Amino acid sequence: MIYVYYDQFPRLYVVATVNCTFDEDVGMDDLGGSLIITVSVGPYPGDTEKAVAMVEQQGAASEFVRKRDNPPPYKIAFCGPPMHGNIRAEWIVHWLVYHHYLWKGKEHFFFYNVGGLQDHHHRLLDPWVKSGYLTIIDASDQGQYPSWYHNQLMLANDCLHRTRFLASWTFFHDLDEFLHIPPPRSLSSLLSRYRDKPYITFGSIGVNLTICADPQSADLAADWPVQRLLWMHKRPYCADATFDPWVCRQWQGARKYAANSRKVYAAAVHTAARPDVGGADLNATIATMYHYHGVLSTQANICQVNVSLSLPSSQLKEIVPEIADYNKEYAISKTTTKARKSMDLTQLLLGT
């Protein structure tokens, strides 16, 4: 089965995911071998080329069966987007702190560097690598095989297969998106409820990057913008005005998702490919991705306007008129504050 699956805009050149399914188990003699794919390259029967898709060493089948039959070592894996351009590495550390706390240390992160991470960035991330929470994959040679957006689909599917037997759930979202699940629900309860689904998707609510809470007016860290960016859009994003934004699906709702890697065939940007079995598109009141769009770029001007939290809302709207289109939401800020105070995180950030 071949999946040429891109769920956002039509593109002429994207990655094809080939899923090979056999009537009988292969390689179970544990002797190893090669998987050879024959590809048609022309209109005539003889217009074919052979490609070695994978090579398994002797004993690999036994190792596969062990991984398949045993519980995965992690509850959650994260597959990051290609890291390119001039990026704000400090923000990525703050993102790691938040999600490590949210996922209770039962996770492993995969980052794909396609040229964005420089030596000084690695110094910030090395404590996470050395502590066993983060793997950084050098994909800087991906330019030899160019497809849309720095080979995003190729890297997503590489990560999907890396995590298939590594974690119960694999999350696919960007480093400028923060997952939030309002109480009384919890992440563990949601994952348990939808454990038989191949994937679950989350709505996206944009955050205003211009307006920040004045750190002097509250117990907020001036050097952690995520704690001060409190103003969110009043409803989720939806590209189609005829849809209910709270359940707007796939790319129209800029959704991101978590996949049960053993139950899906391929990864896309806004959902996973399992056409015969549907996933669960959660209402954004149940689970939300808060999207700080553009914050990763070092060229982004964030916190241009600092406002005191002690001001009444009427006066605040007079000072910053556009704030009327936003709600003030403390969820991400409060969780980040708790995460920063956790002892294991302090040690991790210090590299001890």
Side-chain angles (χ1 to χ4, degrees), residues 308-348:
S308 172
L309 294 181
S310 61
L311 290 177
S313 58
S314 57
Q315 185 177 349
L316 190 59
K317 291 176 182 178
E318 290 179 5
I319 298 173
V320 190
E322 65 178 295
I323 213 168
D325 295 328
Y326 294 84
N327 289 327
K328 188 161 54 178
E329 172 60 69
Y330 289 90
I332 304 299
S333 178
K334 289 181 177 179
T335 302
T336 303
T337 300
K338 293 176 183 178
R340 293 189 67 189
K341 293 179 179 179
S342 64
M343 181 57 68
D344 65 319
L345 252 288
T346 302
Q347 295 172 343
L348 182 59

XYZ file of all heavy atoms in Angstrom, residues 308-348:
321
model
N -0.106 46.342 32.906
C -0.226 45.940 34.299
C -1.493 45.115 34.494
O -2.576 45.485 34.030
C -0.269 47.174 35.206
O -0.558 46.792 36.535
N -1.368 44.015 35.202
C -2.524 43.163 35.467
C -3.472 43.791 36.484
O -4.590 43.307 36.664
C -2.058 41.795 35.975
C -1.274 40.934 34.980
C -0.894 39.614 35.608
C -2.091 40.702 33.721
N -3.020 44.837 37.139
C -3.881 45.495 38.138
C -4.871 46.464 37.501
O -5.788 46.943 38.167
C -3.020 46.244 39.155
O -2.256 47.255 38.514
N -4.704 46.746 36.202
C -5.611 47.673 35.538
C -6.982 47.025 35.336
O -7.069 45.835 35.014
C -5.051 48.073 34.167
C -3.806 48.963 34.148
C -3.357 49.187 32.716
C -4.100 50.306 34.818
N -8.055 47.783 35.506
C -9.382 47.240 35.179
C -9.480 46.997 33.677
O -8.825 47.675 32.879
C -10.340 48.343 35.640
C -9.516 49.586 35.656
C -8.123 49.168 36.022
N -10.319 46.036 33.286
C -10.403 45.642 31.880
C -10.813 46.803 30.982
O -10.336 46.920 29.848
C -11.389 44.483 31.720
O -12.664 44.842 32.212
N -11.691 47.685 31.469
C -12.135 48.816 30.649
C -10.968 49.745 30.328
O -10.812 50.205 29.191
C -13.235 49.592 31.372
O -12.785 50.036 32.647
N -10.120 50.011 31.318
C -8.975 50.885 31.091
C -7.949 50.196 30.197
O -7.312 50.837 29.359
C -8.342 51.269 32.431
C -7.201 52.279 32.288
C -6.650 52.697 33.654
O -7.230 52.396 34.691
N -5.525 53.397 33.632
N -7.812 48.900 30.372
C -6.862 48.137 29.574
C -7.235 48.195 28.092
O -6.376 48.363 27.220
C -6.831 46.689 30.051
C -5.724 45.786 29.497
C -4.360 46.338 29.825
C -5.877 44.383 30.055
N -8.521 48.097 27.806
C -8.975 48.133 26.422
C -8.791 49.508 25.798
O -8.647 49.635 24.578
C -10.438 47.697 26.336
C -10.636 46.209 26.634
C -12.105 45.822 26.634
C -12.274 44.352 26.985
N -13.701 43.941 27.052
N -8.781 50.537 26.628
C -8.523 51.877 26.106
C -7.053 52.024 25.715
O -6.725 52.671 24.725
C -8.887 52.929 27.150
C -10.379 53.057 27.398
C -10.686 54.098 28.466
O -9.730 54.769 28.916
O -11.863 54.241 28.841
N -6.173 51.403 26.505
C -4.743 51.500 26.226
C -4.376 50.632 25.023
O -3.615 51.042 24.146
C -3.927 51.057 27.459
C -4.226 52.000 28.634
C -2.438 51.028 27.147
C -3.596 51.551 29.937
N -4.932 49.416 24.985
C -4.637 48.479 23.900
C -5.974 48.043 23.297
O -6.543 47.028 23.709
C -3.848 47.254 24.409
C -3.343 46.438 23.236
C -2.703 47.681 25.309
N -6.505 48.784 22.306
C -7.844 48.493 21.777
C -8.004 47.063 21.248
O -9.065 46.461 21.408
C -8.001 49.525 20.647
C -7.064 50.627 21.002
C -5.903 49.966 21.687
N -6.964 46.516 20.616
C -7.104 45.202 19.991
C -7.297 44.088 21.026
O -7.692 42.974 20.687
C -5.878 44.880 19.134
C -4.587 44.735 19.936
C -3.407 44.359 19.046
O -3.437 43.252 18.481
O -2.477 45.180 18.924
N -7.055 44.387 22.288
C -7.190 43.357 23.312
C -8.644 42.906 23.474
O -8.922 41.837 24.038
C -6.621 43.870 24.648
C -6.012 42.714 25.441
C -7.669 44.556 25.475
C -5.178 43.164 26.609
N -9.569 43.685 22.935
C -10.989 43.329 23.016
C -11.283 42.031 22.279
O -12.277 41.364 22.557
C -11.844 44.455 22.452
N -10.434 41.668 21.332
C -10.642 40.449 20.555
C -10.048 39.221 21.225
O -10.032 38.142 20.637
C -10.042 40.600 19.157
C -10.754 41.677 18.349
O -11.964 41.851 18.570
O -10.108 42.339 17.524
N -9.535 39.385 22.437
C -8.841 38.290 23.103
C -9.390 38.071 24.507
O -9.909 38.987 25.143
C -7.334 38.578 23.201
C -6.632 38.628 21.860
C -6.636 39.787 21.099
C -5.988 37.501 21.369
C -6.014 39.839 19.865
C -5.347 37.536 20.136
C -5.368 38.704 19.392
O -4.748 38.738 18.166
N -9.238 36.866 24.991
C -9.502 36.531 26.386
C -8.181 36.374 27.127
O -7.177 35.949 26.547
C -10.294 35.216 26.492
C -11.725 35.379 26.031
O -12.330 36.429 26.194
N -12.280 34.332 25.442
N -8.199 36.698 28.409
C -7.000 36.506 29.225
C -7.040 35.096 29.811
O -8.003 34.706 30.459
C -6.934 37.560 30.323
C -5.616 37.564 31.096
C -5.399 38.877 31.831
C -6.544 39.242 32.734
N -6.317 40.487 33.476
N -6.005 34.335 29.558
C -5.974 32.933 29.966
C -4.639 32.647 30.670
O -3.575 32.879 30.114
C -6.126 32.023 28.736
C -5.913 30.540 29.007
C -6.890 30.006 30.032
O -8.092 29.921 29.721
O -6.425 29.687 31.139
N -4.729 32.156 31.909
C -3.528 31.946 32.717
C -3.029 30.503 32.692
O -2.022 30.182 33.324
C -3.818 32.316 34.180
C -3.992 33.794 34.441
C -5.242 34.381 34.363
C -2.905 34.592 34.770
C -5.419 35.735 34.608
C -3.063 35.946 35.021
C -4.324 36.509 34.942
O -4.485 37.859 35.179
N -3.709 29.610 31.985
C -3.422 28.181 32.103
C -1.966 27.844 31.785
O -1.289 27.160 32.570
C -4.360 27.387 31.191
N -1.474 28.296 30.639
C -0.101 27.955 30.240
C 0.895 28.621 31.189
O 1.884 28.021 31.608
C 0.167 28.388 28.794
C -0.861 27.757 27.841
C 1.583 28.003 28.377
C -0.861 26.256 27.819
N 0.627 29.872 31.547
C 1.513 30.602 32.447
C 1.625 29.907 33.802
O 2.733 29.710 34.330
C 1.002 32.029 32.627
O 1.810 32.749 33.538
N 0.494 29.507 34.371
C 0.514 28.875 35.696
C 1.209 27.514 35.662
O 1.965 27.175 36.577
C -0.916 28.736 36.211
C -1.554 30.060 36.610
C -2.967 29.861 37.141
C -3.579 31.180 37.599
N -4.962 31.008 38.102
N 0.950 26.736 34.613
C 1.600 25.431 34.510
C 3.102 25.587 34.332
O 3.895 24.830 34.903
C 1.011 24.626 33.337
O -0.395 24.474 33.525
C 1.642 23.246 33.248
N 3.523 26.579 33.548
C 4.947 26.835 33.366
C 5.600 27.230 34.682
O 6.718 26.797 35.000
C 5.173 27.936 32.314
O 4.554 27.560 31.084
C 6.659 28.160 32.076
N 4.908 28.049 35.470
C 5.431 28.442 36.785
C 5.631 27.225 37.682
O 6.667 27.079 38.343
C 4.478 29.445 37.463
O 4.354 30.606 36.631
C 5.008 29.856 38.824
N 4.651 26.325 37.704
C 4.778 25.085 38.492
C 5.938 24.239 37.986
O 6.690 23.663 38.772
C 3.479 24.288 38.424
C 2.296 24.949 39.110
C 1.035 24.116 38.907
C -0.181 24.786 39.530
N -1.422 23.999 39.279
N 6.074 24.171 36.672
C 7.148 23.359 36.092
C 8.522 23.891 36.478
O 9.439 23.131 36.788
C 6.997 23.317 34.574
N 8.667 25.208 36.472
C 9.959 25.809 36.815
C 10.343 25.542 38.262
O 11.535 25.484 38.605
C 9.910 27.317 36.582
C 9.784 27.722 35.129
C 9.975 29.213 34.979
N 11.349 29.609 35.296
C 11.759 30.870 35.420
N 10.896 31.852 35.273
N 13.009 31.138 35.701
N 9.351 25.384 39.126
C 9.625 25.179 40.544
C 9.861 23.715 40.901
O 10.236 23.412 42.031
C 8.459 25.727 41.374
C 8.313 27.243 41.293
C 7.132 27.731 42.100
C 7.003 29.261 42.032
N 5.835 29.757 42.792
N 9.615 22.815 39.960
C 9.805 21.392 40.259
C 11.288 21.074 40.374
O 12.103 21.535 39.588
C 9.152 20.530 39.196
O 9.762 20.707 37.940
N 11.657 20.275 41.352
C 13.061 20.019 41.654
C 13.778 19.303 40.511
O 14.904 19.648 40.159
C 13.167 19.186 42.934
C 14.610 18.884 43.371
S 15.602 20.375 43.616
C 14.792 21.044 45.061
N 13.136 18.287 39.920
C 13.831 17.541 38.874
C 14.128 18.415 37.670
O 15.140 18.281 37.018
C 13.007 16.322 38.444
C 11.695 16.719 37.791
O 11.066 17.653 38.276
O 11.308 16.051 36.816
N 13.232 19.380 37.390
C 13.464 20.293 36.277
C 14.617 21.223 36.559
O 15.428 21.509 35.686
C 12.196 21.091 36.007
C 11.427 20.735 34.742
C 12.146 21.183 33.514
C 11.185 19.234 34.679
N 14.724 21.705 37.792
C 15.843 22.579 38.150
C 17.158 21.853 37.940
O 18.108 22.391 37.359
C 15.718 23.024 39.632
O 14.475 23.685 39.817
C 16.851 23.966 39.990
N 17.233 20.620 38.378
C 18.453 19.840 38.197
C 18.740 19.599 36.731
O 19.893 19.662 36.282
C 18.327 18.506 38.961
C 18.248 18.672 40.470
C 17.941 17.358 41.176
O 17.494 16.406 40.566
N 18.201 17.330 42.462
N 17.674 19.330 35.971
C 17.863 19.052 34.551
C 18.395 20.266 33.815
O 19.333 20.171 33.031
C 16.531 18.615 33.932
C 16.543 18.233 32.452
C 17.501 17.077 32.197
C 15.159 17.890 31.969
